[in-house]
Amino acid sequence: MDRRTLLTGGTLLVAAALSRDAHARSKAAVLTHEDSHFMQIAIDQAKKADYPFGAVIVRDGQVKALGQNSSKRNADPTAHAEMVAIRAFLSGHEPDEFKTATLYASGEPCPMCMGAIIWCGIRRVVYAASIAELAKKIGQIDITCRQMADATPFADIDIAGGLLSANAMQLFDK
């Protein structure tokens, strides 16, 4: 391989990396002092769930909806904590209110839940345990919520992960 071919290939790799980042739609969310409080509420919801997953939707510093995985008791495989919280939110709020809400989840949202989060227009997600951590305890689809957000050219979403992760993962040991 000559130098010119090598340089052309290197230039293409750099251009591909830069263009990929130019389309990225997720941003690292800055955690606030309130985030730990609301994440603990999500983890408390997970303690009551069929599988240990809980979610909370917060708007203007107030809990607006709670969710816990209820896929067994409802015989509904889509009854993930995030989906339950989204449905609960919609029962008392207008969809436009999602735009100023934060969703807290004890586990990183799966592709189904992240798709719903994106379509609802929720612009901030904070989760405890990551897909990689969860996969060590329970089956997971190996697509992160950040990958989903980055593949969405029409929405920007702030994402923070790992908050109280150890607390959420302890629920799988019970």
Side-chain angles (χ1 to χ4, degrees):
M1 179 182 304
D2 68 15
R3 201 171 350 138
R4 186 174 306 173
T5 304
L6 185 60
L7 287 173
T8 302
T11 302
L12 288 175
L13 286 174
V14 169
L18 289 175
S19 66
R20 183 197 62 194
D21 290 340
H23 297 299
R25 303 309 294 196
S26 67
K27 299 184 295 182
V30 175
L31 293 173
T32 69
H33 67 280
E34 292 181 324
D35 288 330
S36 291
H37 169 71
F38 293 123
M39 182 57 72
Q40 188 58 55
I41 295 172
I43 292 170
D44 290 343
Q45 287 296 301
K47 292 175 184 175
K48 306 173 199 173
D50 293 349
Y51 296 99
F53 294 98
V56 173
I57 297 176
V58 174
R59 188 168 176 268
D60 299 326
Q62 296 183 341
V63 172
K64 298 296 183 178
L66 301 170
Q68 54 188 249
N69 180 294
S70 57
S71 57
K72 282 185 191 177
R73 74 187 92 149
N74 291 342
D76 178 359
T78 69
H80 291 195
E82 299 93 332
M83 300 296 285
V84 171
I86 286 169
R87 291 172 186 143
F89 185 90
L90 287 170
S91 71
H93 302 277
E94 293 298 317
D96 279 351
E97 294 180 42
F98 278 129
K99 293 177 182 170
T100 56
T102 297
L103 186 141
Y104 296 87
S106 64
E108 182 174 358
C110 74
M112 174 185 70
C113 293
M114 193 60 189
I117 289 165
I118 290 165
W119 286 118
C120 287
I122 297 170
R123 295 193 176 141
R124 186 167 186 265
V125 173
V126 180
Y127 65 86
S130 69
I131 294 282
E133 290 172 301
L134 294 167
K136 295 174 185 172
K137 298 287 186 177
I138 189 170
Q140 292 293 304
I141 297 171
D142 192 17
I143 299 172
T144 67
C145 67
R146 190 168 301 283
Q147 288 172 307
M148 292 281 295
D150 288 346
T152 307
F154 56 84
D156 293 321
I157 213 164
D158 293 344
I159 299 172
L163 181 63
L164 303 180
S165 176
N167 298 13
M169 289 304 295
Q170 284 178 345
L171 300 177
F172 287 92
D173 295 332
K174 295 180 178 182

